[in-house]
Amino acid sequence: MKTVFTLLILLHALIHLLGFVKAFQFAELKDFPLQISKPVGLFWLGSAMVLLTTGFFYFKENPYWWLFAFVGLILSQVLIISQWSAAKFGTLPNLIILVVAIISYAQFNFEKKIAEEIRETLPSSDPLLPLTESSIQHLPISVRRWLQYSGVIGRPAIQSVYMQQSYQLKLKPEQKNWYTANATQLSVTNPPSFVWSVDVQMMPMLYAFGRDKFVEGKGEMLIKLLSLLPVAKDGYNPQFNEAALQRFLGELVWYPSAAVLDYIEWKEIDNNKAEATMTIGQTKGKGVFEFDDEGKLLQFTANRYMSSGADAIKKDWVVRTLSYKEFNGVQLPNKCNATWVLESGDWTWALFEVDSVVFNIH
């Protein structure tokens, strides 16, 4: 579709270039019926040049291509209106380009908003001390094994982690086919917070762009169709705040050194299980981590709100580890799935893979 749309812009630009050629009589264009003066011909040339630039920038995925599109469309449509009887069909490609440019502009603004939230979320506190064998002795035995296996003992503590992720999603239990998605996430351990953005490809030419965040014990979610039309918004209520906190807690395995921080209280269940309770301000939540004898996470389970409001109910939410991978010397789960346990049966709604990891960005 990218190539097709680029060709549409370039073809539209070349037609405008014919107006310039006709005005200056560089060629005899019998099938181009417009009568154009030389001064107006320069405007046809200008419109063609702006549209050619638009096509080039769009193909190169320049984030500002829409700016040139708006300028080119204004010039183009004014010229078309001045020759309406012969040139009115040029309005159709202008409308197509306009719709795509508006969507791109909305995407640009949404991504700009997320980038600002990421900048505001980056850690500003002093670096955390590295973990030592003595600093983890108060933790359950399974948690100690996990921290040792992860390789974070003696290393600089993880204060932030930026990840790129690939997803397969089912947004409803009855959905048969998976949606493909790409996501990025910044997580900060002190103070605990995350900003997650996702681009979900639902079908050709139809996608949804969303953002989840958890800051100061409060969660918020926003999803827009084509980055333009809000289709889901929730947050800043006790149920959603708790659910977002539990997500942060479950993702502790991506920033293991946070296990010793004061906002988490551990309780040993047995040699391979431990319950963690996390408290931030008025928001509190818990979950159970299960590890194997080597120290690898097997799964995280939390009784979690599926929605918010007075009628919100809790269901078991299970994240299972499918494989591990080393990132910058730290062993992390890199493939997982997430499942809601429902009366009608398990709903595995997400399969995801961590593609890249950067620790302690500033």
Side-chain angles (χ1 to χ4, degrees):
M1 295 306 298
K2 174 183 174 182
T3 302
V4 172
F5 185 66
T6 302
L7 291 175
L8 171 67
I9 298 174
L10 297 180
L11 178 61
H12 196 45
L14 291 175
I15 292 174
H16 283 71
L17 191 60
L18 292 179
F20 168 72
V21 172
K22 182 68 176 286
F24 284 82
Q25 298 179 353
F26 291 137
E28 186 178 358
L29 302 175
K30 295 181 179 180
D31 296 327
F32 196 78
L34 304 184
Q35 299 301 315
I36 303 173
S37 65
K38 289 184 177 180
V40 174
L42 294 176
F43 283 97
W44 284 89
L45 175 63
S47 178
M49 292 299 100
V50 176
L51 288 171
L52 285 170
T53 304
T54 299
F56 175 78
F57 277 16
Y58 173 81
F59 188 77
K60 290 293 186 179
E61 299 182 358
N62 185 291
Y64 295 96
W65 78 269
W66 48 267
L67 183 60
F68 293 91
F70 289 145
V71 174
L73 291 175
I74 291 172
L75 286 172
S76 172
Q77 197 58 37
V78 168
L79 292 170
I80 288 171
I81 291 173
S82 70
Q83 299 275 351
W84 183 252
S85 60
K88 57 186 176 183
F89 293 108
T91 301
L92 179 58
N94 276 349
L95 286 174
I96 295 172
I97 297 170
L98 177 63
V99 169
V100 178
I102 289 174
I103 293 171
S104 184
Y105 173 68
Q107 177 81 13
F108 174 85
N109 279 337
F110 203 164
E111 291 179 348
K112 183 179 178 181
K113 170 185 172 68
I114 293 170
E116 180 61 31
E117 291 176 338
I118 288 175
R119 282 192 293 270
E120 294 172 353
T121 305
L122 286 170
S124 56
S125 56
D126 294 332
L128 301 173
L129 295 175
L131 298 188
T132 63
E133 290 291 349
S134 60
S135 69
I136 67 172
Q137 289 307 306
H138 66 289
L139 299 174
I141 185 172
S142 59
V143 178
R144 297 201 303 269
R145 277 202 312 267
W146 160 55
L147 293 175
Q148 291 162 347
Y149 174 80
S150 297
V152 295
I153 307 298
R155 294 177 58 90
I158 299 172
Q159 188 134 342
S160 66
V161 55
Y162 181 80
M163 293 178 289
Q164 294 182 322
Q165 306 161 332
S166 300
Y167 273 80
Q168 297 290 312
L169 298 172
K170 289 186 178 181
L171 303 183
K172 297 179 180 179
E174 63 273 15
Q175 183 177 327
K176 294 183 179 181
N177 298 321
W178 294 92
Y179 292 147
T180 300
N182 294 298
T184 62
Q185 177 167 323
L186 171 72
S187 298
V188 174
T189 61
N190 189 32
S193 51
F194 68 75
V195 178
W196 179 79
S197 64
V198 63
D199 183 352
V200 183
Q201 191 68 45
M202 305 175 73
M203 60 182 66
M205 301 181 66
L206 182 64
Y207 71 93
F209 196 75
R211 186 270 287 129
D212 274 357
K213 72 174 182 176
F214 174 71
V215 178
E216 297 180 348
K218 298 178 180 179
E220 184 193 42
M221 175 266 292
L222 176 63
I223 299 175
K224 291 185 176 182
L225 192 65
L226 300 175
S227 299
L228 195 62
L229 305 173
V231 293
K233 185 176 183 180
D234 205 345
Y236 300 134
N237 58 70
Q239 296 83 7
F240 199 87
N241 293 344
E242 180 180 324
L245 179 145
Q246 287 173 301
R247 170 178 171 170
F248 179 92
L249 179 61
E251 293 174 352
L252 190 68
V253 290
W254 288 332
Y255 27 91
S257 51
V260 301
L261 295 180
D262 292 342
Y263 53 75
I264 299 177
E265 180 181 348
W266 291 94
K267 176 183 176 182
E268 186 169 87
I269 298 175
D270 58 34
N271 284 346
N272 293 98
K273 289 183 182 179
E275 180 183 78
T277 301
M278 179 174 169
T279 305
I280 301 296
Q282 301 299 312
T283 307
K284 185 175 183 178
K286 62 184 179 180
V288 174
F289 292 84
E290 182 177 350
F291 306 93
D292 65 13
D293 292 335
E294 189 179 6
K296 293 181 180 179
L297 175 75
L298 296 178
Q299 67 178 41
F300 171 79
T301 304
N303 196 234
R304 189 168 179 245
Y305 284 109
M306 289 187 68
S307 58
S308 63
D311 298 328
I313 58 174
K314 289 185 174 182
K315 297 292 182 182
D316 281 347
W317 182 67
V318 183
V319 180
R320 296 182 177 89
T321 298
L322 305 179
S323 67
Y324 259 79
K325 185 178 180 180
E326 181 181 314
F327 294 94
N328 301 317
V330 181
Q331 296 287 343
L332 302 178
N334 73 310
K335 292 183 180 180
C336 304
N337 63 31
T339 300
W340 287 103
V341 180
L342 309 177
E343 289 83 357
S344 58
D346 290 357
W347 168 29
T348 298
W349 65 275
L351 303 171
F352 55 95
E353 180 174 359
V354 178
D355 300 315
S356 66
V357 172
V358 179
F359 294 120
N360 293 336
I361 65 172
H362 301 284

